[in-house]
Amino acid sequence: MSCLHKYWLKEFFKFFSIIQLLILVLFVFIDYLSRMERFLNSDISLIGALGYVVLKVPFMFVQLTPASILLATITVFGLMNRSNELLAIKSSGISLYFLVKPALLVGVIFAMLMFFLGETIIPVTMTKSNYIKYNVIKKRHDIYSAKKDIWIKSKNKLVHINFYDPANQILAGVTITSLGENFRIESRIDAKKGYFKQENWVFENIIEQIHAKDSMDYDVKSYDEKIIPLTFKPEDLGEITKKSEEMSFFELKKYVTKVEEEGYDATTYKVDLNGKIAFPFICIIMVLTGAATGMRSFAKDNIPVAIAIGVVISFMYWVMYGFCLSMGYGTILPPVISAWTANLFFLALSALYLINTE
């Protein structure tokens, strides 16, 4: 590795560490203070609440890394541009692309680091964090989730949901058991599908068994569609269901296979599965975009403008990436395409941006 590459890497990691540390510290303080009232109204101690916030730091590190890489890259190249170091390198007959090599190396390293964290630390910390959130802070003891199965106590009803699609807010394989005095079963409803409409749960393909008085028999009825009053809403289920970030890539892949084998729609999780590979790739895009921005002539005189442009580019990526994922969740785009479209678009854009800079 040349001295020039070592110098660039040293400057990059210095600014990246400062930016990333500053953002993470701000996140911890803001998240902790913004939830203070909720912490005080729960059974958790203030030290335990701080631990709950810290558990989310690995996840936030991965989410914030691309933006920090972009800002650090712009800053390093911008300062080299201001001090005429880039001009001196170019005058010596060395292409500016020579400095892009360590930037690409950084992008690849951070992409692998993000994937590694997503496979090891993040599933553990997010599972623990969500457990504290729903069972200690929000005290949701009436809803219990184990992988895809959900158990809910709703007044005198015990509800079992075999599968919940959080993107489309659809229930599948629902069993509702109504209990009477001494926990005797009064009725049982089995529904193939359910959805939330106009503040009510509507179920389809229903078989209802009602216990006949003074008898051990049950009256059986069937309905194509029926509204059944329940106390929980889709957001309650969304909070308690197993999140994709709580699973590693291979665990999520195994989960998708199991869901599909049981005949349920796993589109949401298939999109997230492809996103686990696609998202770390953004690091390479950010270093290319940051290098092209920092090398521009306007960055020499006004680095804050270059940083602002970097922030705008990062924001545009997040908007497009989120939009494409939403189209994947809605089955408008295949899972693979929805996860990779933003990456391919911005990779081509950043490459053209960098070539035009030279």
Side-chain angles (χ1 to χ4, degrees):
M1 182 179 292
S2 67
C3 294
L4 198 55
H5 285 174
K6 291 179 180 178
Y7 168 73
W8 189 92
L9 289 171
K10 177 183 176 183
E11 292 298 306
F12 170 83
F13 280 107
K14 179 177 70 176
F15 285 105
F16 173 82
S17 300
I18 293 172
I19 294 170
Q20 188 78 328
L21 182 62
L22 179 62
I23 295 176
L24 288 175
V25 169
L26 285 174
F27 162 76
V28 170
F29 274 99
I30 292 173
D31 195 41
Y32 183 72
L33 294 176
S34 64
R35 300 173 186 269
M36 183 60 69
E37 183 178 355
R38 185 172 293 177
F39 293 151
L40 294 174
N41 292 330
S42 66
D43 296 331
I44 194 170
S45 66
L46 294 181
I47 299 298
L50 180 60
Y52 157 73
V53 174
V54 172
L55 281 171
K56 294 188 287 183
V57 168
F59 177 76
M60 292 308 302
F61 175 87
V62 168
Q63 297 296 309
L64 297 171
T65 289
S68 298
I69 289 175
L70 177 64
L71 297 178
T73 306
I74 292 175
T75 302
V76 173
F77 277 109
L79 290 175
M80 293 180 71
N81 199 350
R82 173 180 288 182
S83 60
N84 293 320
E85 290 176 290
L86 294 182
L87 180 62
I89 293 171
K90 195 172 182 181
S91 301
S92 302
I94 302 174
S95 172
L96 293 181
Y97 294 136
F98 182 72
L99 286 178
V100 177
K101 291 182 180 179
L104 282 174
L105 177 62
V106 164
V108 172
I109 290 174
F110 273 104
M112 292 190 296
L113 176 62
M114 288 171 61
F115 184 79
F116 173 76
L117 292 175
E119 289 297 290
T120 55
I121 298 176
I122 292 177
V124 176
T125 57
M126 290 306 296
T127 299
K128 181 64 175 177
S129 173
N130 288 333
Y131 176 83
I132 295 173
K133 179 179 179 180
Y134 303 127
N135 292 277
V136 181
I137 299 175
K138 290 192 174 183
K139 302 178 183 179
R140 293 308 308 265
H141 301 301
D142 57 334
I143 302 180
Y144 173 76
S145 175
K147 289 291 184 181
K148 65 183 181 64
D149 291 285
I150 301 174
W151 292 90
I152 305 170
K153 183 180 181 300
S154 177
K155 292 184 178 179
N156 67 321
K157 295 182 176 65
L158 185 62
V159 183
H160 172 253
I161 301 169
N162 201 31
F163 179 74
Y164 174 63
D165 182 356
N168 300 308
Q169 298 184 345
I170 294 176
L171 310 177
V174 183
T175 301
I176 304 173
T177 305
S178 298
L179 303 175
E181 295 181 0
N182 300 322
F183 298 100
R184 292 184 61 185
I185 297 178
E186 291 185 343
S187 67
R188 169 173 167 159
I189 296 174
D190 292 281
K192 185 176 181 181
K193 178 182 176 183
Y195 56 90
F196 199 68
K197 181 179 180 181
Q198 297 179 352
E199 299 300 316
N200 289 301
W201 285 105
V202 181
F203 294 90
E204 298 177 350
N205 298 326
I206 298 172
I207 296 178
E208 184 177 17
Q209 304 175 60
I210 302 175
H211 183 257
K213 292 184 178 180
D214 302 324
S215 173
M216 297 297 293
D217 297 330
Y218 285 84
D219 296 327
V220 181
K221 299 179 180 179
S222 61
Y223 305 92
D224 292 331
E225 185 178 278
K226 184 178 181 180
I227 296 176
I228 300 176
L230 297 171
T231 57
F232 60 89
K233 295 183 178 181
E235 49 265 32
D236 299 322
L237 299 177
E239 290 180 346
I240 201 66
T241 50
K242 186 78 171 179
K243 309 293 190 302
S244 295
E245 62 266 21
E246 296 179 15
M247 294 181 275
S248 66
F249 174 83
F250 296 102
E251 185 181 359
L252 182 57
K253 185 178 181 180
K254 184 178 179 181
Y255 179 63
V256 168
T257 302
K258 183 178 179 181
V259 169
E260 288 184 322
E261 286 177 350
E262 295 183 7
Y264 301 119
D265 184 11
T267 300
T268 300
Y269 294 101
K270 289 172 75 174
V271 172
D272 292 337
L273 180 66
N274 286 277
K276 281 184 175 291
I277 301 177
F279 181 66
F281 190 77
I282 185 181
C283 295
I284 299 173
I285 299 173
M286 291 296 105
V287 293
L288 292 176
T289 305
T293 304
M295 290 179 183
R296 292 276 173 168
S297 56
F298 64 81
K300 180 177 182 179
D301 302 320
N302 203 332
I303 295 179
V305 171
I307 292 176
I309 292 175
V311 172
V312 171
I313 293 173
S314 181
F315 176 76
M316 289 172 60
Y317 172 86
W318 275 110
V319 170
M320 185 173 181
Y321 182 71
F323 176 72
C324 291
L325 288 184
S326 298
M327 294 183 72
Y329 293 144
T331 67
I332 298 174
L333 290 176
V336 176
I337 295 178
S338 65
W340 284 95
T341 296
N343 281 353
L344 296 177
F345 176 80
F346 274 87
L347 178 62
L349 197 66
S350 61
L352 291 173
Y353 191 30
L354 183 61
I355 292 171
N356 189 43
T357 300
E358 174 72 4

